Amino acid sequence: MIFAYNKEHVGDVLFVIAADDKGQENHVERKGNIARVSADGQVVAWNIFEASTILGTIDGSGQVELTDEQLAKLNQELTAAGFSETLAVDHEPKIVVGFVKSCKKHPDSDHLSITQTEVDNGEVLQIVCGASNIKAGQKVVVAKPGAMMPDGLMIWPGVLRGVESFGMICSASELRLPDAPAKKGILELPFDAVVGEKFTVGK
């Protein structure tokens, strides 16, 4: 579940993205300051208006993290408005250091590669990557499913040319790092970078 907030440009609205709507038509049901967004019978998002009056100060801009106390207040507000759902917070970081354990050419593409990339404590994700400089043995930055990139792109599991992919291996420009090189390609980290450690992106 992705929580996003940008008071300066959007107003005092907390966006809660629960699932990929896959371009389907959305249905919105609003009760008071809460709107539930559904697509094909599945709840895909919530819009929480006047969010700071419910939750207090919301730290950050873009993807934000709610405290357990704020989550409890939010769930109380959902119940009071008449919704039956409850929301949960996953405190695990979504943009982390990864290690490319293996890398092979995609069977149906001349530029894609299929990697098995460790992201924490033996957790390995299959990630399809289009960068020409990707190879086994690298330490890289991985945006796991549930991540929001600095440009607002949300990362969901997907299928690329018939192969499942569970995340994105990132370039410096995608992470909006200062002085990111113009040359395309994924960001390669020093080998002493710690797999699973949160990676701080730019804005």
Side-chain angles (χ1 to χ4, degrees):
M1 196 165 287
I2 297 171
F3 297 88
Y5 186 73
N6 190 331
K7 188 173 184 178
E8 181 180 353
H9 292 100
V10 182
D12 192 15
V13 183
L14 177 71
F15 299 95
V16 184
I17 301 95
D20 185 1
D21 67 7
K22 299 179 181 177
Q24 299 178 51
E25 183 177 355
N26 289 341
H27 171 73
V28 179
E29 179 182 6
R30 181 165 178 173
K31 298 179 181 181
N33 282 329
I34 298 182
R36 179 175 62 190
V37 184
S38 304
D40 196 27
Q42 178 188 17
V43 177
V44 295
W46 299 84
N47 297 337
I48 315 299
F49 300 94
E50 307 292 341
S52 64
T53 65
I54 299 170
L55 304 176
T57 301
I58 301 172
D59 293 327
S61 178
Q63 186 170 13
V64 296
E65 294 184 17
L66 299 188
T67 66
D68 290 335
E69 181 182 7
Q70 287 176 320
L71 182 68
K73 289 180 180 179
L74 184 53
N75 281 325
Q76 288 173 3
E77 198 74 14
L78 261 67
T79 300
F83 292 108
S84 60
E85 294 88 349
T86 56
L87 306 180
V89 172
D90 178 0
H91 290 298
E92 290 187 2
K94 296 301 180 185
I95 299 180
V96 301
V97 176
F99 174 68
V100 183
K101 299 187 72 173
S102 69
C103 180
K104 65 180 182 180
K105 289 296 182 184
H106 191 296
D108 191 34
S109 171
D110 58 2
H111 72 283
L112 296 175
S113 299
I114 304 170
T115 76
Q116 302 296 324
T117 302
E118 184 176 357
V119 291
D120 192 20
N121 286 328
E123 180 189 359
V124 177
L125 299 178
Q126 177 169 284
I127 301 176
V128 178
C129 179
S132 60
N133 65 327
I134 187 73
K135 61 185 179 181
Q138 290 173 318
K139 293 282 182 73
V140 295
V141 180
V142 175
K144 299 163 63 175
M148 175 182 279
M149 300 299 291
D151 65 358
L153 173 70
M154 290 173 287
I155 306 301
W156 304 108
V159 178
L160 293 173
R161 295 283 187 93
V163 175
E164 290 185 314
S165 183
F166 299 91
M168 182 173 76
I169 298 176
C170 306
S171 69
S173 60
E174 288 167 334
L175 296 165
R176 294 209 175 158
L177 299 182
D179 303 319
K183 184 179 178 181
K184 292 184 178 181
I186 55 102
L187 174 67
E188 186 170 2
L189 299 176
F191 202 74
D192 61 359
V194 179
V195 173
E197 193 171 87
K198 179 179 179 180
F199 188 89
T200 301
V201 303
K203 293 294 183 182

